[in-house]
Amino acid sequence: MTENAQQQPPAPSTDLPTQYAPADVEGPLYERWVERGYFEADEKSEKPPYTIVIPPPNVTGSLHLGHAFQHTLMDALTRRKRMQGYEALWLPGMDHAGIATQNKVEQQLAEEGKSRHDLGREEFVERVWQWKEEYGGRILGQMRRLGDGVDWSRERFTMDEGLSKAVLTIFKRLYDDELIYRAERIINWCPRCLTAISDIEVEYQEDAGELVSIRYGEGEESLVVATTRAETMLGDTAVAVHPDDERYRHLIGKQIKLPLTDRTIPVVADAHVDPEFGTGAVKVTPAHDPNDFEIGRRHDLPSLTIMDEHGVITVHGPFIGLDRFEARSAVVGALKEQGRIVAEKRPYMHSVGHCSRCKTTVEPRLSMQWWVKVGPLAKAAGDAVRDGRVKIHPEDMSKRYFDWVDNMHDWCISRQLWWGHRIPIWYGPDGEVVCVGPDDEPPTGEGWTQDSDVLDTWFSSGLWPFSTLGWPEKTPDLKKFYPTDVLLTGHDIIFFWVARMMMFGLYAMDGEAPFHTIALTGLVRDEFGKKMSKSNPNAVDPLVWMDAYGSDAVRFTLANGANPGADVPIGEDWVKASRNFTNKIWNATRFALMNGATIEGPLPDASEMSAADRWILSRLNTTVAQVDAYYDDYQFAKLADALYHFAWDEVFDWYVELSKTTFFAGGEPARVSGRVLGEVLDVMLRLLHPVIPFVTDALWTTLTGGESLVIGDWPKDSGFRDKAAEQEIELVQRVITEVRRFRKDQGLKDGQKVPARLELTGTALAPHEPAIRQLLRLQPEGDAFTATATLPVAGAEVALDLSGTIDVAAERKRLAKDLAAAEKEKAQANAKLGNEAFLAKAPDHVVDKIRTRLAKAEEDIVRIQAQLERLPQG
C-alpha cells in the first residue's frame, strides 16, 4: 500500500470529461510541472543522488523515433527514482555538431551566392551562432511535447563557456602527458565536407566496382597487378610481393617502369602481401591507402599525393583537373592504348567507405593531423568493465565493447572546419609549438598563428558526464551528481560516444568512471523490422503520432517494445492500441470515481473484504514487486506488459466488473470495495506514471486531490498476499471464460440474455453467483426452463436453455459443413506429409506450412465436435 494511504487528503473531484483529449491535457500539464520546479535537482539536498545525462542531440536535429524511444526510457527511470525519494537529475543539452551545422550555414550562404571564405573565419563563426539562436534547438521544444522531465535550469551546450573551458583543460592535460600528438598519416577524407573524419564516422557498404589487371614493367621483368582504383597508380611508388613467392623472387629489389609515367619504381618484399590473392603482386600507393602507407613506412618509400581536397587529380598532364572518378576511366583508356590492360574489366563487389553525414565516397589521404594516443586510455576503459566498476546491460553486449576498446587505433581529432572548438596550439616564427590552456595567455607577436583546425565533435561530447556538472571546477554539482548512475543509449554508438566518455572520464576524474551502468538499447525499426530512414517511405515523425494519439500512447508503445539490446519494431496500429489503453484507463477511472472509488480513510481490514477485494490487492502487490524487479533489470518491455495486463485485464475487465453488483447493491460491502478500488487505482496510476505521465497525473490528482504524481511517492509492496482469494477468483474466471466461449461458439450476441440454472452449491463459486449471472447475461431459470446445453466447469455446472435463442437444426447443419471441411483439410495434409517423394523435393518452408495446416485442421475438428456435443438434441 502507499505511504499516503492513512492520510486524509482533500475530497477528490469526479469532474472528469467524458472523453480523454490528450491535446487539452498534455501541454498545460507539462508547463505546470516546469513552472513548479518539479524537475529541478537540488545539489544541497541530503537525498541520495540519481543522475542521467541526456545523449546530447545535434543542434541541427529534430525529434525522431530513436530520440523518442531513448528519452521515454530515461524519463521513466528518472521519474521513478524521483518518486522513490532520490534527488533525481536528468540533465539536458545539445551538441554543436561541427560538420552538420557548418554544412547548414554554408548551404544558406550558397543560396546567397557566397561561401564562408567570402565572410572570413570570424564573421562565419558569428553567422553560425546566429543560425544556432534562430534555428537550432528545435528538438528541445519537441522534448517538452514528449514529456521529458529534464532539469531545464541546467541545460548545456558543447560550445558554451563552461564546456569550452573543459575542452581546453583536458586538451592541455593530454598534450602535456604526451597523449596528444601531431603526425602525418593516412586519414579518411571527405571531399564533400572537406575535412578528415574518424574511422567510426565511415559507413561501409558493398559497392559495384570494376577490377582492372595492369601489366607493370617489360618482358621477364614485368608483373601484373589488379585494382579497382586505377587512377591511384599515378601515385604508386612500389610494387610489393611476398618474400617467399618464387614467381617474383628474381624481381625483388629491381626497378620496373610505371606505365603512363616517366618513373621507375622498386619491387619490394613484404609479408603483408597475400600470395594466394589475385596475382600475388600489389601496387603500393602510400599517400592514398592505409595498408600501402604502412608498407611505405617499412620500406622507406616516398609518398606522392595525386589529388587535392576535392578529389581532383593534381599530377600528370593529361589527367590534371579530372575528378577522381573521371580520371579512373581516363587512366584505364590510356592504359588500353598502350596495351597494358591484360584482362578485361570485370564487375567486382567490394566494401567502400562513405561519409556517414553526406554519403560521399571517402578518400584515404595522407595528411598532417592531430591524434589522441588511445592505448593507455582504452586499456583503462576496458579494465573498468572487466573489474566490475561499470556494468554493461545486457551483459552479452560486453563483447562488442571489448572488441572496440581492445583494438582501438589512435584517434584523429582534428577537423578542417571553422565551427567547433579550435585546437589550442600556437605556432611561432621559429618553429615553436605552444599548447595554451584555459588560464594561459596565448603568445603574441609577429609570426605567431593558431592552428586553423577544430576538434572532432566527439572530443567535447566525450566530456559530457562531468563537463556538464562544472568540471574542471570542483562544483557542488560535480560533488553531488558525479558519477552518473546509468548511461542509456543505443548499441550503435558504443564506439562513437560510450568508449570516448569512458576514456575521458577515467582520465579526468582520477579513475572514477562516468557511470555505474551502461544500458544499451536496440534501434527503432518499422513494424516489419526494416530500418527507418528519411530516404525510405517508412520514416515516421513521432510528432505526427503525438498529435493524433497523444504523447502517452507513443511513449507506451516504445516502452512496450524495449527489450534490452534488441531492436524495437513499431507501427501505427500499435500506437493506436496504446491510445486505446490510455482511453481505457481514463474511462474506467472515471467510472470508478462515479461509483464510490476513494482513498479516504484507512484501508479496511482483510476480514471485511470480499474475495474479489482480497484478490485484487494480492495481485496489486505482486505487480508492484514485479515492476520493481523489471525496472532494476532495465526490462522495460516486461514492466510495460505487466502493467498493461494488470490494469486492463485484472483491474478493469475483472475486478471492476465483479464488483459492479456490490456497488449497485450499496451498503457496507460497497463502501469497502470502493475503498479497495481507490487504493488499487492510486497504486496503479503511480506505477504507470513514469511511462505514461500525462494521463496518470491528470487522473491521480482527481482521485486523490494531491498536488502531482511527479512528486508523489513510489508504491511499495506491502507484502499482502492471499493465495486462497486468488484461487477462488481464478475459478470464477474459468466459469465465466468457458461460458463466454460457448456463447460465442453458438453465435449468441454479447448482450443476449439466456435462461440458466447454476449448480454452485458446495463450491467456492456460490457467493459469486450474482456476479457470474450479471457478467454472463444469465436470467433466472423460470418455470418453463429446459436445459438444452450443460457445461461442467470448475467443479460446478451451468445449464443453459437455448431453445429460444438459436435454430438448433440450422446450427447443426452449419457445424457439420465446417467439420467436413476440416476433415478434408486434414486428409489432404496427411496425404502430402505421407508422400516420401513430395517430402524429398519440397522446400522446408513448404513442408512447414503443410504441417501448420494439419495442426490447425486437427484443432478445428476437436473444437467443432465439442460444439456439436453441447448443442441440444433434435
Side-chain angles (χ1 to χ4, degrees), residues 656-674:
V656 170
E657 294 299 320
L658 287 171
S659 301
K660 279 183 177 178
T661 54
T662 303
F663 290 137
F664 295 159
E668 183 61 14
R671 186 196 68 80
V672 171
S673 291

Side-chain angles (χ1 to χ4, degrees), residues 437-459:
D439 300 320
D440 301 332
E441 288 293 328
T444 57
E446 187 176 348
W448 282 94
T449 58
Q450 185 178 358
D451 195 298
S452 60
D453 289 349
V454 300
L455 288 164
D456 177 12
T457 295
W458 296 100
F459 190 93

Side-chain angles (χ1 to χ4, degrees), residues 525-539:
R525 296 183 177 273
D526 71 12
E527 59 193 304
F528 305 107
K530 294 181 180 178
K531 183 178 179 181
M532 287 192 177
S533 168
K534 291 180 180 178
S535 60
N536 292 333
N538 66 349

Side-chain angles (χ1 to χ4, degrees), residues 770-841:
I772 292 171
R773 283 189 175 276
Q774 178 175 320
L775 291 176
L776 290 173
R777 306 293 190 269
L778 301 180
Q779 294 177 317
E781 53 191 280
D783 295 335
F785 177 82
T786 301
T788 58
T790 302
L791 283 73
V793 57
E797 191 173 270
V798 178
L800 304 174
D801 183 353
L802 303 178
S803 57
T805 58
I806 61 172
D807 183 334
V808 175
E811 185 64 11
R812 279 190 174 280
K813 187 175 180 181
R814 182 185 71 79
L815 290 173
K817 183 179 179 181
D818 291 347
L819 181 61
E823 288 174 336
K824 181 179 179 182
E825 176 74 3
K826 177 183 175 180
Q828 290 175 341
N830 273 326
K832 288 186 176 181
L833 293 175
N835 184 335
E836 292 185 5
F838 170 78
L839 292 177
K841 295 179 180 178

